Amino acid sequence: MNTKILLATSLIAVFAIGTYAPSIVAYAQYMGNVGSQGETGSYTLEEALEIQARRIAAAEANPGAGSGTPYLDASGVVGAVAISAAVFGGIAGALFIRGRSGKYAAMGRG
């Protein structure tokens, strides 16, 4: 009986997600400004490019302010990989050492 309830709940969840998924749509960044009556396209592509150029100039002028730089950025991708490897390697090492001893460890293997 638990299997039937779990299956029914899973199907309801899948259909509910499918129902609400079309209302959660990610639009492209360039749509134009939305006017007071709800119309779009109040500015041109050239104006959008100018705004993006100003954003890039502001980000270059203030390098410490962020603008989408990764949180684990230690001078690029290599630094982020090194930090991630250290964190996950430390966790894996701790679990490996912990797993070699204890109640369920195989007898005669250390």
Side-chain angles (χ1 to χ4, degrees):
M1 180 168 161
N2 290 337
T3 307
K4 291 179 183 179
I5 293 173
L6 183 64
L7 181 64
T9 306
S10 300
L11 285 174
I12 290 171
V14 167
F15 287 126
I17 290 170
T19 302
Y20 293 115
S23 64
I24 304 169
V25 178
Y27 293 103
Q29 197 170 15
Y30 172 72
M31 279 183 47
N33 289 339
V34 178
S36 61
Q37 302 298 322
E39 69 275 359
T40 59
S42 309
Y43 69 173
T44 64
L45 180 61
E46 288 79 17
E47 291 172 338
L49 291 174
E50 177 62 32
I51 290 172
Q52 296 302 321
R54 279 192 249 144
R55 286 182 185 173
I56 291 171
E60 288 174 349
N62 301 314
S67 91
T69 56
Y71 289 111
L72 296 176
D73 185 23
S75 65
V77 175
V78 175
V81 168
I83 291 171
S84 299
V87 169
F88 291 115
I91 292 171
L95 291 174
F96 180 72
I97 291 170
R98 178 89 180 182
R100 292 186 53 94
S101 64
K103 183 178 177 182
Y104 298 107
M107 294 297 191
R109 292 192 186 171

